[in-house]
Amino acid sequence: MSGAIAVGQDFPQGIRWGRRVRRVARSGVVVGGALVALLVIGVAVSAPLVAPHAPDDPNFDLIEARPGPKAWFGTDRFGRDILSRVIYGSRISLYVAVVSIGASMVLGGALGLTAGYAGGAWDAGLMRGVDALMSIPRVLIYLLCATLFPPSTLLVILVLGGTTWTGLARVVRAGMMSIVKSDLALQARALGSRPLRVVLLHLLPQMGPILITTASLRFADTLLLESALSLLGLGPPPPAVSLGGIMGSGRDVLAEAWWVVAWPGIVIAVAVAALRAAAADLFRLADPPSLS
């Protein structure tokens, strides 16, 4: 009984998370970044309601028209409204980022948790494999995929998810190693809890700040990578439209129609800057276990 009481007193998860949430809610940087992210997501999700035109509707009276009252973001060489294309394009860009980050977190998180908790030969073997994969230049993988495979949304997701999980695995492993010998984990094991239960119920909640912050940073980076891959020809093929694809379509007319590249670039830059600033402040305020 006394052991159970000790464990219960050593598990102040609700109190700890309550304090973290209050600190985060008082941060203008985190709140501002979250609002910008929610605005971008809200506009993307409600694209059919807020976009003035369909993304592929041509207007031959407004070929490469400059931004103005008839087309707030201008039009491209086919007369398609850039504002509508940016709104619709953000849907695919966000979808690619969310799915690839989800796959990366599942794979990298599982391996990082296993390596950090098991230690010893498991840790050494898994991390040497991760190091070997991280030594392969990503650009080489991107160029190889662009050469061998036709462009598709699935290909972008697989490439991004398959090349970003290694860094996440190392972050999660480092965080797990900092708490695996804590009193909380030792007492749970002493009471007979299985390793999976110890990790999922007692250690994983403490990893929340690290996971949330890392996911936010990876999400911002993935938006940039999606744009780069679309420029390389790996992005979703027409008629699908993404922010990177819009920028790629404007490369040849950059001098005459700069707005085709500028507007999706501005949306990406604002979203990435807001997410990175919010994630950095969130990491500082959330008091992750690896820093405490």
Side-chain angles (χ1 to χ4, degrees):
M1 179 65 70
S2 59
I5 295 175
V7 172
Q9 292 172 346
D10 213 8
F11 278 61
Q13 297 292 342
I15 297 175
R16 256 190 303 227
W17 274 97
R19 291 174 179 172
R20 289 169 177 167
V21 170
R22 286 194 295 272
R23 285 200 301 267
V24 169
R26 289 194 293 265
S27 171
V29 175
V30 175
V31 173
L35 289 177
V36 171
L38 289 175
L39 176 62
V40 173
I41 294 173
V43 172
V45 171
S46 58
L49 300 177
V50 300
H53 306 282
D56 292 321
D57 282 352
N59 187 344
F60 298 110
D61 295 328
L62 294 174
I63 299 296
E64 290 187 358
R66 290 181 171 273
K70 293 184 179 180
W72 292 105
F73 282 14
T75 61
D76 62 9
R77 56 186 170 180
F78 299 109
R80 296 174 297 190
D81 184 63
I82 297 300
L83 174 59
S84 301
R85 289 178 63 78
V86 168
I87 293 174
Y88 276 93
S90 60
R91 302 180 78 183
I92 293 183
S93 294
L94 291 174
Y95 170 76
V96 169
V98 169
V99 176
S100 60
I101 288 300
S104 175
M105 290 195 68
V106 170
L107 181 57
L111 289 179
L113 290 173
T114 302
Y117 184 84
W122 279 98
D123 179 36
L126 290 174
M127 288 302 104
R128 295 300 76 77
V130 169
D131 291 340
L133 293 175
M134 292 182 72
S135 67
I136 303 175
R138 288 189 189 179
V139 175
L140 180 61
I141 298 176
Y142 299 156
L143 293 176
L144 187 63
C145 291
T147 303
L148 297 178
F149 304 105
S152 68
T153 303
L154 178 60
L155 178 61
V156 178
I157 293 173
L158 292 177
V159 169
L160 291 177
T163 57
T164 57
W165 67 267
T166 51
L168 177 65
R170 295 196 67 88
V171 171
V172 173
R173 176 245 188 189
M176 176 58 68
M177 291 184 69
S178 69
I179 61 176
V180 70
K181 300 298 185 182
S182 64
D183 292 341
L184 185 148
L186 294 175
Q187 291 176 358
R189 285 196 291 266
L191 291 176
S193 297
R194 295 180 179 273
L196 184 62
R197 179 182 178 86
V198 174
V199 171
L200 295 181
L201 296 185
H202 305 315
L203 298 181
L204 189 59
Q206 295 189 73
M207 297 285 295
I210 292 178
L211 295 176
I212 294 172
T213 304
T214 304
S216 301
L217 292 172
R218 298 294 181 191
F219 188 86
D221 293 341
T222 302
L223 287 177
L224 291 175
L225 285 174
E226 185 275 330
S227 302
L229 293 180
S230 295
L231 290 174
L232 289 174
L234 279 174
V241 57
S242 67
L243 294 177
I246 299 172
M247 296 178 67
S249 68
R251 288 179 299 179
D252 299 333
V253 295
L254 183 59
E256 299 84 11
W258 53 265
W259 50 88
V260 177
V261 176
W263 288 116
I266 290 173
V267 171
I268 293 173
V270 171
V272 169
L275 282 172
R276 292 189 70 88
D281 214 45
L282 177 64
F283 186 74
R284 178 180 63 84
L285 294 172
D287 187 27
S290 61
L291 296 181
S292 56

